[in-house]
Amino acid sequence: MYTGLEDPVTHVHHFELQIDLQGVRDDARCRIFPATLSKISQQWFFKLPPRSITSWDGFVRTFYSQFSSAMPLPAEPNDLVDIKQKDNYPLKEYIQRFMREATKVKTLSDDDKLIAINSGIKAKSLFWSSLKRKVARTTQEFLDQTKEFIKLKEAKRKVDKPTQSVTEQWKIDVGNTSIPAEGAKNGAKNGKHNNENGNSGNLNDNKKPKTAEQSKPWEYVPNFTTCSILLETRRTFLMLHRLSYHTEDLHR
């Protein structure tokens, strides 16, 4: 549906493509085309004078004239020179963007396209250096070199990825290793005491060097490893516990 804000040329071309596949005649096109209009464009069509449409070509010219403000400005070959590969911008995305904009230029020679796409490559990059060693004579040769370079770069990335993963995993394991703080260890053992010779000293003075075992994370070790099955209710055990305390007080 055409609302009056899109490109009218693109809409007509799309409509003609669908109609040509079905073999519709020009007089029938004038009757079918209004069904693709909506909002402002539909209001414009209903305001046309009766019997003002005499042919399909004349109707298209009137349609273009009415919605000419929605037509995009035609792209020029010089506009392609402004497309540059910025820092940290992948080569693949730059090529895709350039070729997409190049399709908007009506008259563009292969030499102009090659000059524009070469000028946008980031200077002193790896691909820029490759182009200096092997100059592309046509746009197709340039695109072929681009494909080979991108494939080589992706293959190298796949080879380097496992090594990076192992290194990153080692950093994560080391980072997750928890070592007790020095203040917590020293706070429990700090203070002067008398040794066997009667001299005062600190426990930290006789501490052994830290080993790999001491660097491991602390693990919880339960005090009781076996449990007995209760044969009475908890209420009975509580009453017996209170009775034993009462008996001790009487003996005192």
Side-chain angles (χ1 to χ4, degrees), residues 77 80-81 94-95 98-99 102 108-121 127 131 134-146:
L80 299 178
V81 182
Y94 163 73
I95 298 297
F98 181 91
M99 298 303 294
L108 180 63
S109 64
D110 189 75
D111 292 337
D112 294 338
K113 184 188 294 186
L114 182 61
I115 293 173
I117 197 172
N118 265 297
S119 62
I121 298 297
F127 186 63
L131 290 175
K134 185 180 180 181
V135 180
R137 303 299 178 183
T138 62
T139 305
Q140 188 59 44
E141 291 183 5
F142 179 90
L143 295 177
D144 292 340
Q145 293 186 29
T146 304

Side-chain angles (χ1 to χ4, degrees), residues 212-232:
E213 295 295 331
Q214 294 176 347
S215 300
K216 293 183 178 179
W218 291 96
E219 297 181 357
Y220 171 74
V221 180
N223 294 329
F224 303 97
T225 57
T226 57
C227 299
S228 301
I229 300 177
L230 296 179
L231 302 179
E232 297 289 344

